[in-house]
Amino acid sequence: MLDVSIRLGVLNLLLDLKERLKLAVLYITHDIASARYFADETFVMYGGQIVEGGDSESVTQRPAHPYTQLLIESAPDPERSVLALDAPLEEVAQISTGCQFAARCPKVQERCWTQAPPRTEVDSYGHWAACWLYAEAAA
């Protein structure tokens, strides 16, 4: 983690090199705001599994997976109130054989605990999410 001004300078340098030299860059971060600024495509991982992906604009402006939604809502924003998670901490320790995010998901369903959700297209631009909420809508 770098100081904000230094981080911006490094990101601008990488972006310039990427565009000027036609480089491919794999940018791994916990800062989803910088991913939107820097990346053409964004993939969100939770528990070692990719749970959402697509072009950076779609993933960050219209997050589909509940984890991505919480990740974006957790980014500092002076115009938004603080998000409170509903799940008690002891539930987070539960292990799911289905969706890895089930213990912390505010939209969890019974089958989330036992069945891994399929990867489902969210829109026609290649944006997808691995979540039962979208699998039901597509069916």
CSV table of all heavy atoms in Angstrom, one decimal, residues 28-54:
chain,number,residue,atom,x,y,z
A,28,ILE,N,-3.7,-6.8,-9.4
A,28,ILE,CA,-4.4,-7.5,-8.3
A,28,ILE,C,-4.4,-6.5,-7.2
A,28,ILE,O,-3.4,-6.0,-6.7
A,28,ILE,CB,-3.6,-8.8,-7.9
A,28,ILE,CG1,-3.6,-9.7,-9.1
A,28,ILE,CG2,-4.3,-9.4,-6.7
A,28,ILE,CD1,-2.7,-10.9,-8.9
A,29,THR,N,-5.6,-6.2,-6.7
A,29,THR,CA,-5.8,-5.2,-5.6
A,29,THR,C,-7.0,-5.5,-4.8
A,29,THR,O,-7.9,-6.3,-5.2
A,29,THR,CB,-5.9,-3.8,-6.3
A,29,THR,OG1,-6.0,-2.8,-5.2
A,29,THR,CG2,-7.1,-3.7,-7.1
A,30,HIS,N,-7.1,-4.9,-3.6
A,30,HIS,CA,-8.3,-4.9,-2.8
A,30,HIS,C,-9.0,-3.6,-3.0
A,30,HIS,O,-10.1,-3.4,-2.5
A,30,HIS,CB,-7.9,-5.1,-1.3
A,30,HIS,CG,-7.5,-6.4,-0.9
A,30,HIS,ND1,-6.2,-6.7,-0.7
A,30,HIS,CD2,-8.2,-7.6,-0.8
A,30,HIS,CE1,-6.1,-8.0,-0.4
A,30,HIS,NE2,-7.3,-8.6,-0.5
A,31,ASP,N,-8.5,-2.7,-3.7
A,31,ASP,CA,-9.0,-1.4,-4.0
A,31,ASP,C,-9.8,-1.4,-5.3
A,31,ASP,O,-9.3,-1.1,-6.3
A,31,ASP,CB,-7.9,-0.3,-4.0
A,31,ASP,CG,-8.4,1.1,-4.2
A,31,ASP,OD1,-9.6,1.3,-4.3
A,31,ASP,OD2,-7.6,2.0,-4.4
A,32,ILE,N,-11.1,-1.7,-5.2
A,32,ILE,CA,-11.9,-1.8,-6.4
A,32,ILE,C,-12.1,-0.5,-7.2
A,32,ILE,O,-12.2,-0.5,-8.4
A,32,ILE,CB,-13.3,-2.4,-6.1
A,32,ILE,CG1,-13.9,-3.0,-7.4
A,32,ILE,CG2,-14.2,-1.4,-5.4
A,32,ILE,CD1,-15.0,-4.0,-7.2
A,33,ALA,N,-11.9,0.7,-6.5
A,33,ALA,CA,-12.0,2.0,-7.2
A,33,ALA,C,-10.8,2.1,-8.1
A,33,ALA,O,-11.0,2.6,-9.2
A,33,ALA,CB,-12.0,3.1,-6.1
A,34,SER,N,-9.6,1.7,-7.7
A,34,SER,CA,-8.5,1.8,-8.5
A,34,SER,C,-8.6,0.8,-9.7
A,34,SER,O,-8.1,1.1,-10.8
A,34,SER,CB,-7.2,1.7,-7.8
A,34,SER,OG,-7.0,0.4,-7.3
A,35,ALA,N,-9.2,-0.3,-9.4
A,35,ALA,CA,-9.3,-1.3,-10.5
A,35,ALA,C,-10.2,-0.7,-11.6
A,35,ALA,O,-9.9,-0.9,-12.8
A,35,ALA,CB,-10.0,-2.6,-10.0
A,36,ARG,N,-11.3,0.0,-11.3
A,36,ARG,CA,-12.1,0.6,-12.3
A,36,ARG,C,-11.3,1.7,-13.1
A,36,ARG,O,-11.5,1.7,-14.3
A,36,ARG,CB,-13.3,1.3,-11.6
A,36,ARG,CG,-14.2,2.0,-12.6
A,36,ARG,CD,-15.4,2.7,-11.9
A,36,ARG,NE,-16.1,3.5,-12.9
A,36,ARG,CZ,-16.7,4.6,-12.6
A,36,ARG,NH1,-16.6,5.1,-11.4
A,36,ARG,NH2,-17.3,5.2,-13.5
A,37,TYR,N,-10.5,2.4,-12.4
A,37,TYR,CA,-9.7,3.4,-13.1
A,37,TYR,C,-8.7,2.8,-14.0
A,37,TYR,O,-8.4,3.3,-15.1
A,37,TYR,CB,-9.0,4.3,-12.0
A,37,TYR,CG,-7.9,5.2,-12.5
A,37,TYR,CD1,-8.3,6.4,-13.1
A,37,TYR,CD2,-6.6,4.9,-12.4
A,37,TYR,CE1,-7.3,7.3,-13.6
A,37,TYR,CE2,-5.6,5.7,-12.8
A,37,TYR,CZ,-6.0,6.9,-13.5
A,37,TYR,OH,-5.0,7.8,-13.9
A,38,PHE,N,-8.1,1.7,-13.6
A,38,PHE,CA,-6.9,1.1,-14.3
A,38,PHE,C,-7.3,0.0,-15.3
A,38,PHE,O,-6.6,-0.1,-16.3
A,38,PHE,CB,-6.0,0.6,-13.2
A,38,PHE,CG,-4.7,0.1,-13.8
A,38,PHE,CD1,-3.7,1.1,-14.3
A,38,PHE,CD2,-4.4,-1.2,-13.9
A,38,PHE,CE1,-2.5,0.6,-14.8
A,38,PHE,CE2,-3.2,-1.6,-14.4
A,38,PHE,CZ,-2.3,-0.7,-14.9
A,39,ALA,N,-8.3,-0.8,-15.0
A,39,ALA,CA,-8.5,-2.0,-15.7
A,39,ALA,C,-9.6,-1.9,-16.8
A,39,ALA,O,-10.6,-1.3,-16.6
A,39,ALA,CB,-8.8,-3.2,-14.8
A,40,ASP,N,-9.4,-2.7,-17.9
A,40,ASP,CA,-10.4,-2.8,-18.9
A,40,ASP,C,-11.5,-3.8,-18.4
A,40,ASP,O,-12.7,-3.6,-18.6
A,40,ASP,CB,-9.9,-3.3,-20.2
A,40,ASP,CG,-8.8,-2.3,-20.8
A,40,ASP,OD1,-9.0,-1.1,-20.7
A,40,ASP,OD2,-7.8,-2.8,-21.4
A,41,GLU,N,-11.0,-4.9,-17.8
A,41,GLU,CA,-11.9,-5.9,-17.3
A,41,GLU,C,-11.6,-6.1,-15.8
A,41,GLU,O,-10.5,-6.0,-15.4
A,41,GLU,CB,-11.7,-7.2,-18.0
A,41,GLU,CG,-12.2,-7.2,-19.4
A,41,GLU,CD,-12.0,-8.6,-20.0
A,41,GLU,OE1,-10.9,-9.0,-20.3
A,41,GLU,OE2,-13.0,-9.3,-20.1
A,42,THR,N,-12.7,-6.4,-15.0
A,42,THR,CA,-12.5,-6.6,-13.6
A,42,THR,C,-13.1,-7.9,-13.2
A,42,THR,O,-14.2,-8.2,-13.6
A,42,THR,CB,-13.2,-5.5,-12.8
A,42,THR,OG1,-12.5,-4.2,-13.0
A,42,THR,CG2,-13.1,-5.7,-11.3
A,43,PHE,N,-12.4,-8.7,-12.4
A,43,PHE,CA,-12.9,-10.0,-11.9
A,43,PHE,C,-12.8,-9.9,-10.4
A,43,PHE,O,-11.8,-9.5,-9.8
A,43,PHE,CB,-12.1,-11.2,-12.4
A,43,PHE,CG,-12.2,-11.3,-13.9
A,43,PHE,CD1,-11.3,-10.7,-14.8
A,43,PHE,CD2,-13.2,-12.1,-14.4
A,43,PHE,CE1,-11.5,-10.8,-16.1
A,43,PHE,CE2,-13.4,-12.2,-15.8
A,43,PHE,CZ,-12.5,-11.6,-16.7
A,44,VAL,N,-13.9,-10.2,-9.7
A,44,VAL,CA,-14.0,-10.2,-8.2
A,44,VAL,C,-13.9,-11.6,-7.7
A,44,VAL,O,-14.6,-12.5,-8.1
A,44,VAL,CB,-15.3,-9.5,-7.8
A,44,VAL,CG1,-15.4,-9.5,-6.3
A,44,VAL,CG2,-15.4,-8.1,-8.4
A,45,MET,N,-13.0,-11.8,-6.7
A,45,MET,CA,-12.8,-13.1,-6.1
A,45,MET,C,-13.3,-13.1,-4.7
A,45,MET,O,-13.1,-12.1,-4.0
A,45,MET,CB,-11.4,-13.5,-6.1
A,45,MET,CG,-10.8,-13.8,-7.5
A,45,MET,SD,-9.1,-14.5,-7.4
A,45,MET,CE,-9.4,-16.1,-6.8
A,46,TYR,N,-13.9,-14.2,-4.2
A,46,TYR,CA,-14.2,-14.4,-2.8
A,46,TYR,C,-13.9,-15.8,-2.5
A,46,TYR,O,-14.4,-16.7,-3.2
A,46,TYR,CB,-15.6,-14.0,-2.5
A,46,TYR,CG,-15.9,-14.1,-1.0
A,46,TYR,CD1,-15.6,-13.1,-0.2
A,46,TYR,CD2,-16.4,-15.3,-0.5
A,46,TYR,CE1,-15.8,-13.2,1.2
A,46,TYR,CE2,-16.6,-15.4,0.9
A,46,TYR,CZ,-16.3,-14.4,1.7
A,46,TYR,OH,-16.5,-14.5,3.1
A,47,GLY,N,-13.2,-16.1,-1.4
A,47,GLY,CA,-12.9,-17.4,-1.0
A,47,GLY,C,-12.2,-18.3,-2.1
A,47,GLY,O,-12.4,-19.5,-2.2
A,48,GLY,N,-11.3,-17.6,-2.9
A,48,GLY,CA,-10.6,-18.3,-3.9
A,48,GLY,C,-11.3,-18.6,-5.2
A,48,GLY,O,-10.8,-19.3,-6.0
A,49,GLN,N,-12.6,-18.1,-5.3
A,49,GLN,CA,-13.4,-18.3,-6.5
A,49,GLN,C,-13.8,-17.0,-7.1
A,49,GLN,O,-14.1,-16.0,-6.4
A,49,GLN,CB,-14.6,-19.1,-6.1
A,49,GLN,CG,-14.3,-20.5,-5.6
A,49,GLN,CD,-15.6,-21.3,-5.3
A,49,GLN,OE1,-16.7,-20.7,-5.4
A,49,GLN,NE2,-15.5,-22.5,-4.8
A,50,ILE,N,-13.8,-16.9,-8.4
A,50,ILE,CA,-14.2,-15.7,-9.1
A,50,ILE,C,-15.7,-15.7,-9.0
A,50,ILE,O,-16.4,-16.7,-9.5
A,50,ILE,CB,-13.7,-15.7,-10.6
A,50,ILE,CG1,-12.2,-15.7,-10.6
A,50,ILE,CG2,-14.3,-14.5,-11.3
A,50,ILE,CD1,-11.6,-15.7,-12.0
A,51,VAL,N,-16.3,-14.7,-8.5
A,51,VAL,CA,-17.8,-14.6,-8.3
A,51,VAL,C,-18.4,-13.6,-9.2
A,51,VAL,O,-19.7,-13.6,-9.4
A,51,VAL,CB,-18.1,-14.2,-6.8
A,51,VAL,CG1,-17.7,-15.3,-5.9
A,51,VAL,CG2,-17.6,-12.9,-6.4
A,52,GLU,N,-17.6,-12.7,-9.9
A,52,GLU,CA,-18.2,-11.8,-10.8
A,52,GLU,C,-17.1,-11.3,-11.8
A,52,GLU,O,-16.0,-11.2,-11.4
A,52,GLU,CB,-18.9,-10.6,-10.1
A,52,GLU,CG,-19.6,-9.6,-11.0
A,52,GLU,CD,-20.4,-8.6,-10.3
A,52,GLU,OE1,-20.6,-8.7,-9.1
A,52,GLU,OE2,-21.0,-7.7,-11.0
A,53,GLY,N,-17.5,-11.0,-13.0
A,53,GLY,CA,-16.6,-10.5,-13.9
A,53,GLY,C,-17.2,-9.8,-15.1
A,53,GLY,O,-18.4,-9.9,-15.3
A,54,GLY,N,-16.4,-9.0,-15.8
A,54,GLY,CA,-16.9,-8.2,-16.9
A,54,GLY,C,-16.1,-7.0,-17.1
A,54,GLY,O,-15.1,-6.8,-16.5
